């Protein structure tokens, strides 16, 4: 499948979430007491809330304009001031199950080029270790694991 990388808007990323709710529920689901709809709604609101802070949003689209992957990166003011270098953050990097490793690699290299041109020195990403294809792709393009966040409930 041929994939196209292009800058995108939040509504496209919201479609990606809605089309892959099960993945997102598994990724962010910590308690059976919380309804899955609340998890999805929280993620959607978080993505919408940062709309004016976004520095970079890219989507991975097929020939029919259906989105299969995306990223949303914003500048972290606190980290940038604290470390004295331009620091970005993303809590949203996702590929659906149909995206092959070579397309993930191409997409992540494009992110790297754009971040380099925007003069970012560091980008913090939280990503589930269970998504091995993306973890492999991230490591192949130069990202590296520095920390594992554990959450206990």
């Amino acid at each position: 499948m041929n994939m196209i990388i292009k800058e995108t808007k939040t509504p496209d990323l919201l479609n990606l979430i809605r089309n892959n709710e099960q993945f997102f529920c598994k990724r962010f689901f910590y308690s059976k007491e919380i309804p899955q709809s609340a998890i999805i709604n929280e993620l959607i609101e978080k993505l919408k809330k940062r709309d004016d802070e976004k520095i970079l949003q890219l989507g991975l689209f097929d020939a029919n304009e259906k989105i299969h992957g995306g990223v949303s990166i914003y500048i972290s003011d606190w980290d940038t001031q604290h470390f004295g270098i331009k620091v970005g953050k993303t809590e949203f990097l996702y590929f659906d199950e149909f995206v092959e490793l070579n397309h993930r690699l191409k997409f992540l290299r494009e992110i790297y080029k754009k971040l380099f041109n925007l003069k970012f020195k560091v980008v913090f990403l939280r990503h589930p270790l269970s998504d091995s294809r993306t973890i492999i792709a991230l490591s192949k393009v130069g990202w590296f694991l520095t920390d594992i966040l554990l959450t206990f409930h």
Side-chain angles (χ1 to χ4, degrees), residues 108-118:
L108 293 169
R109 286 186 186 114
E110 184 65 22
I111 293 169
Y112 178 85
K113 280 194 290 187
K114 294 204 177 275
L115 291 171
F116 181 82
N117 290 337
L118 291 167

Side-chain angles (χ1 to χ4, degrees), residues 6 19 21 38 49 52 54 58 65 76 82 124 147 153:
K6 63 182 182 179
N19 292 337
E21 283 189 18
K49 183 178 129 191
D52 56 343
K54 305 240 175 59
L58 291 177
E65 292 292 313
S76 173
H82 180 74
F124 297 129
D147 195 350
H153 289 272

Side-chain angles (χ1 to χ4, degrees), residues 4-13 54-61 65 67 69-72 107 110-111 113-115 117-118:
I4 302 157
I5 301 167
K6 63 182 182 179
E7 292 194 21
T8 192
K9 301 287 184 201
T10 300
D12 288 325
L13 297 178
K54 305 240 175 59
I55 300 297
L56 176 64
Q57 287 193 142
L58 291 177
L60 185 63
F61 296 85
E65 292 292 313
I67 189 165
V71 68
S72 180
F107 187 79
E110 184 65 22
I111 293 169
K113 280 194 290 187
K114 294 204 177 275
L115 291 171
N117 290 337
L118 291 167

Side-chain angles (χ1 to χ4, degrees), residues 2-51:
N2 193 24
M3 297 285 199
I4 302 157
I5 301 167
K6 63 182 182 179
E7 292 194 21
T8 192
K9 301 287 184 201
T10 300
D12 288 325
L13 297 178
L14 296 177
N15 284 336
L16 186 61
I17 292 170
R18 289 185 187 106
N19 292 337
N20 296 280
E21 283 189 18
Q22 285 303 97
F23 170 84
F24 287 101
C25 284
K26 280 194 280 187
R27 179 175 174 184
F28 297 106
F29 192 65
Y30 299 112
S31 171
K32 293 183 192 270
E33 297 170 9
I34 302 170
Q36 289 187 359
S37 60
I39 294 165
I40 296 298
N41 291 339
E42 174 70 21
L43 182 59
I44 289 170
E45 289 308 310
K46 199 174 199 181
L47 200 54
K48 284 180 182 177
K49 183 178 129 191
R50 294 209 183 274
D51 234 8

